[in-house]
Amino acid sequence: MDTAHYGVGRSVDVVFTSRRLSWSASVLVFPILVSSTLADGLSPRASGRDTTGPNAQAWLVDITSDAGLQFRHRSGFDGSYHLAEIMGPGCGLFDYDGDGDLDILLIDGGEHPSRGRGTAAVTSRLWRQEQGGRFVDVTARARLSNHGYGMGCAVGDYNNDGRPDVYFTNYGPDRLFRNNGDGTFTDVTLAAGIRAVDWSVSATFVDYDCDGLLDLYVACYVAKSGEKLCSDAAGRPDYCGPASLPPVSDLLFRNTGGGVFRDVSREVGITDHPRRGLGVTAIDFDDDGRPEIYVANDGEANQLWSSRSDGTFVDRAMFLGLAFNGAGQPEASMGIAVGDANHDTRIDFFLTHLTGETNTLYVNRGRAGFDDATPVCGTAAGGLETTGFGVGLIDFAHDGCLDLIVANGAVARERAKPGCTLQAPFNGYAQPNTLLRGSGNRQFENPGRAAGDFGGPIEISRGLAFGDIDRDGDIDVLLAQCEGNVRLYRNDAPKRGHWLSVRARHAGSGRDAYGATVRLLLGGRSLTGVVNPAIGYASSSDPRVHFGLGDADRVERIEVACPCGGRQTFPGGGVDRFVELELTECRP
């Protein structure tokens, strides 16, 4: 594996293996040095002064054109205002060809079926990253063609061959593509037993039964047949709200091995509780050795599915304080971000909502459940003015505090915002995006002009995907838009500390250990992250766990809680580098 250098000091890739299960016991370690050399200081950019005034350095810089990306999403708008037109798209960042560089997956819509007319199918696009950080459209060569009205994507290695496979969510039948390992994909939807889906938006791969195989949870929205024409307060045609459309049940496909899935939705009990699902993520937030599945529902109680010993699911969202906001009200939940927002080593949730509602921060209190900390965290005012979709908790500045980024765009017509360049009727749905700087103790503040290019355009933003595009040690951002151009943002935030990027993979198969919790011990404090690509809305991010370390210049040790039980401890070491962990005691 080669380590690319982009003027940010010196970095290293290291692979560690371990056979101990204790968090803190001494370990037998077999390090394999993959490429040279240890970091010896902050990058040149790290010495920049972080300000929020008029001369502030932009945190996110639009490099779409420089990267060679040319893609515009087509909603298929025809004046009939079908809801699917305004709900997509998501996007994806993943290394499909195993060359160490992140590639880009973009979701398209097309002509939407309406009033008895046929559908002109289009395809989503795969862009391969070439030398120099430019991207080339390889969709035809890779045979990754989702000929359907696309909504989002999920990425995961369902057959344990070490290669990421792709699942497309659609308005209509979904599609599953197997990665062949030679730069191409094969459509295995029918052979894999994936039955037709009415309308799905987000999905996640998760080993819910802990058998070593990734299963597939699909969040479904509303019935297609229920669509009708609605109008706004002025009598103009507009998109219907979700309450006017019947919900449909989510789906759970159990991986039975041999590349075949079985629909177990009814037998686990999720079909008894249909909701209007939009966002979904899966993590073991309470360290009980079993992953939970958290579903963001539109205008209804959110669901947190936990598996019982008999294989059935129980919804614990109400009991844990995750179903409603602090006032006991359901909200129009879209995207889900996960992260330790208040540095207590527990994973918190942040959900995005509709204009007029607050985006909500749920702080994890352990056995006491979750508290709605929105009124005191500094995010309430901005959320009231926008409709949030894609979202992430990311330490852009490496100061040890998670920052908040939200992609915004309305779903009901509003007055056009000054500065919006979209034509009617789309200008009535365009909103500015949000970037809030984390200042510690779950507090967020407006960075002003430091938001850079991300905070400038007023468009209809939807999915966000996160990953280190240029391998310089910080997290960059991919933004998907409805009826707009894709945007790729480079992270140029002035750095206030060091970083570490951790990839945790199962030994043998090489599959990323989805759901594993990674904890860094830094001498008196610790940082916690989760191997989880399914964050945000209808999108898939790089599964590497990125840490901003602040002023810590050395990691004491790395502790990993396996997604289905068991723990391993690895040596620490230097900072500003990429580390790979081979998990020998986790299920493959």
Side-chain angles (χ1 to χ4, degrees):
M1 181 188 301
D2 294 326
T3 301
H5 301 271
Y6 292 87
V8 290
R10 291 151 58 187
S11 56
V12 62
D13 283 332
V14 180
V15 177
F16 290 117
T17 62
S18 166
R19 297 190 180 277
R20 297 287 296 195
L21 298 180
S22 168
W23 283 106
S24 56
S26 60
V27 296
L28 179 63
V29 180
F30 302 92
I32 305 173
L33 188 63
V34 179
S35 61
S36 64
T37 53
L38 290 178
D40 57 2
L42 289 172
S43 71
R45 290 195 328 207
S47 60
R49 188 162 174 251
D50 189 4
T51 68
T52 58
N55 297 320
Q57 180 175 331
W59 282 26
L60 296 175
V61 175
D62 190 336
I63 60 168
T64 311
S65 178
D66 292 341
L69 286 173
Q70 297 180 2
F71 176 87
R72 183 176 181 84
H73 172 263
R74 294 166 287 180
S75 71
F77 177 81
D78 63 359
S80 56
Y81 288 85
H82 280 261
L83 186 56
E85 297 169 359
I86 200 67
M87 298 304 295
C91 56
L93 283 174
F94 72 121
D95 181 8
Y96 86 93
D97 54 0
D99 65 353
D101 294 323
L102 290 178
D103 309 300
I104 289 176
L105 186 61
L106 301 176
I107 310 300
D108 207 354
E111 184 178 327
H112 189 74
S114 61
R115 309 301 179 200
R117 296 212 311 266
T119 301
V122 295
T123 183
S124 299
R125 314 301 296 182
L126 176 65
W127 294 75
R128 182 180 186 273
Q129 185 174 176
E130 306 284 350
Q131 263 190 330
R134 291 186 62 84
F135 290 83
V136 175
D137 187 343
V138 295
T139 307
R141 185 196 319 169
R143 302 203 298 270
L144 187 65
S145 298
N146 176 42
H147 290 289
Y149 194 93
M151 298 301 299
C153 62
V155 176
D157 178 11
Y158 75 88
N159 56 355
N160 284 348
D161 63 359
R163 300 187 288 265
D165 310 299
V166 177
Y167 184 84
F168 288 103
T169 59
N170 291 322
Y171 180 92
D174 291 353
R175 306 283 289 277
L176 176 65
F177 285 81
R178 185 189 66 228
N179 190 329
N180 298 320
D182 59 359
T184 68
F185 291 81
T186 297
D187 186 343
V188 295
T189 308
L190 295 179
I194 302 297
R195 73 173 176 87
V197 180
D198 205 24
W199 181 1
S200 63
V201 177
S202 296
T204 184
F205 285 95
V206 53
D207 185 6
Y208 85 92
D209 54 358
C210 293
D211 64 354
L213 298 170
L214 287 179
D215 311 298
L216 180 64
Y217 189 99
V218 183
C220 299
Y221 194 35
V222 295
K224 292 194 304 179
S225 59
E227 291 210 56
K228 57 184 180 180
L229 184 64
C230 296
S231 59
D232 63 10
R236 297 171 298 183
D238 202 357
Y239 296 103
C240 295
S244 66
L245 305 171
V248 292
S249 301
D250 292 347
L251 295 173
L252 179 62
F253 296 101
R254 181 177 180 269
N255 192 338
T256 63
V260 177
F261 291 82
R262 182 169 67 89
D263 185 353
V264 296
S265 311
R266 184 172 299 279
E267 62 190 72
V268 302
I270 64 175
T271 58
D272 298 332
H273 307 278
R275 302 277 171 81
R276 300 170 178 88
L278 287 178
V280 64
T281 193
I283 64 172
D284 178 11
F285 76 91
D286 55 4
D287 290 333
D288 67 350
R290 288 269 180 172
E292 286 80 29
I293 300 170
Y294 190 31
V295 186
N297 292 312
D298 192 358
E300 302 176 279
N302 302 316
Q303 295 161 307
L304 183 77
W305 294 113
S306 296
S307 58
R308 298 186 178 104
S309 57
D310 63 358
T312 62
F313 280 10
V314 59
D315 180 8
R316 298 174 61 203
M318 191 83 71
F319 173 75
L320 292 171
L322 289 169
F324 305 120
N325 64 15
Q329 297 297 315
E331 296 179 288
S333 300
M334 266 74 89
I336 307 174
V338 299
D340 181 9
N342 59 345
H343 302 163
D344 64 356
T345 74
R346 300 190 187 104
I347 297 300
D348 310 304
F349 294 109
F350 188 92
L351 270 66
T352 56
H353 297 121
L354 193 69
T355 301
E357 301 174 342
T358 62
N359 293 330
T360 303
L361 175 63
Y362 294 99
V363 172
N364 190 341
R365 300 301 186 190
R367 293 184 178 180
F370 288 77
D371 289 341
D372 180 353
T374 310
V376 297
C377 73
T379 64
L384 287 168
E385 301 168 357
T386 55
T387 295
F389 279 82
V391 59
L393 286 165
I394 308 292
D395 186 351
F396 289 110
H398 295 168
D399 58 0
C401 299
L402 294 178
D403 309 300
L404 179 65
I405 184 170
V406 183
N408 297 317
V411 292
R413 193 196 307 270
E414 302 175 349
R415 179 176 297 179
K417 304 288 190 300
C420 176
T421 59
L422 298 181
Q423 300 298 311
F426 302 112
N427 57 358
Y429 303 89
Q431 295 177 336
N433 295 319
T434 302
L435 178 63
L436 296 177
R437 173 183 169 183
S439 57
N441 194 27
R442 71 174 186 267
Q443 294 294 313
F444 296 92
E445 59 188 29
N446 192 330
R449 296 189 181 184
D453 295 338
F454 184 77
I458 301 175
E459 297 166 317
I460 310 172
S461 298
R462 290 295 180 252
L464 289 172
F466 307 98
D468 186 355
I469 288 287
D470 48 11
R471 290 183 60 84
D472 65 352
D474 57 26
I475 297 299
D476 308 300
V477 179
L478 179 68
L479 170 65
Q481 300 194 86
C482 177
E483 277 293 329
N485 297 320
V486 64
R487 294 189 182 276
L488 181 62
Y489 295 96
R490 186 183 65 224
N491 180 351
D492 280 358
K495 302 304 184 285
R496 306 180 70 184
H498 297 279
W499 58 274
L500 196 75
S501 178
V502 179
R503 186 175 189 184
R505 300 201 288 182
H506 294 286
S509 71
R511 173 169 68 81
D512 288 286
Y514 285 10
T517 299
V518 180
R519 185 168 298 155
L520 305 186
L521 282 300
L522 301 174
R525 65 186 180 97
S526 62
L527 297 173
T528 303
V530 180
V531 182
N532 178 27
I535 56 176
Y537 174 82
S539 299
S540 186
S541 294
D542 182 20
R544 293 176 179 87
V545 186
H546 175 267
F547 295 96
L549 306 181
D551 59 4
D553 58 6
R554 186 170 182 81
V555 176
E556 289 184 8
R557 63 182 183 273
I558 306 173
E559 301 171 341
V560 179
C562 298
C564 286
R567 289 174 165 81
Q568 291 186 243
T569 300
F570 299 86
V575 297
D576 299 341
R577 59 180 181 146
F578 301 90
V579 174
E580 290 195 5
L581 308 178
E582 292 185 357
L583 305 181
T584 59
E585 302 298 336
C586 294
R587 289 183 180 272

